[in-house]
Structure formats: structure tokens, C-alpha cells
Amino acid sequence: MPTVYKTLGQSSPAATTETDLYTVPAATSAVASSVIVCNRSAVLSTFRISIAVGGLATTNKDYIYYDLPIGANDTFIATIGVTLATTDKVRVYASNTNLSFSLYGSEIS
């Protein structure tokens, strides 16, 4: 079973819109090792990140970050080490259009 280390997803989502950042492909598992959120604006913003098992609708239990503030022109970096199965989804949400999300890790097939 080969492991591929890669950028799992990148997005600059629309404001206040839950957006799929990464979906684990069929016959694959993944480890999301780190997430980076960049605030490209001069104002305080907030963000959310959730893990939807099996790609189901997001519920309260799915959030790993919820309305976390990120300062103006700042970057949030976290080592998360989240294991993901086929069809699991990582979703993001931003309070404005000036946040960029990057997810890094490995896929195992």
C-alpha cells in the first residue's frame, strides 16, 4: 500500500459558506497532518473546520475549530494528525472572502 505525501486541499471559500476542502478518494485512507489558515485582510476574521465522517452533513460533533478568531494579516498553523477514511470530508467556513485554507498530509491506497 503506497503512501503519497501531498497537499490534500486548498481553498479560498466564499464568505459564510461551508465548503469542501478535501474528500478522501475511493479505496483510500488519509492522514491530515497540518492545516494552515491565512487571513489576507486587514480585519479580524473567524473560521471553522469540520470533519464529516462518510461525507454526511456537518453536525456539532464534527467541528475541530469553531469560530476561531484569526488576526488581521495573520496566519494560523496547526498540526492536527487526523485520520480519515474513504469518503470522509474536511470542510471549511470563513467569516469573509479573505481567508485561504491549506491542508497537508498523506494518502494511503
Side-chain angles (χ1 to χ4, degrees):
M1 293 186 2
T3 299
V4 178
Y5 301 95
K6 62 190 282 185
T7 301
L8 298 175
Q10 292 185 306
S11 180
S12 178
T16 66
T17 303
E18 185 177 61
T19 303
D20 291 350
L21 178 63
Y22 173 68
T23 302
V24 181
T28 304
S29 59
V31 177
S33 60
S34 57
V35 64
I36 299 173
V37 183
C38 178
N39 184 355
R40 305 180 324 273
S41 73
V43 298
L44 177 77
S45 302
T46 61
F47 68 90
R48 301 174 187 174
I49 300 175
S50 62
I51 310 294
V53 175
L56 297 174
T58 303
T59 63
N60 289 339
K61 67 178 175 41
D62 297 325
Y63 287 100
I64 59 173
Y65 297 104
Y66 192 88
D67 288 349
L68 194 68
I70 183 169
N73 301 309
D74 201 2
T75 301
F76 170 86
I77 303 170
T79 301
I80 56 175
V82 174
T83 56
L84 304 164
T86 298
T87 71
D88 288 354
K89 292 182 181 274
V90 178
R91 295 185 175 127
V92 296
Y93 174 99
S95 62
N96 62 47
T97 60
N98 296 309
L99 295 185
S100 298
F101 295 84
S102 296
L103 184 68
Y104 302 94
S106 56
E107 289 182 336
I108 304 121
S109 54

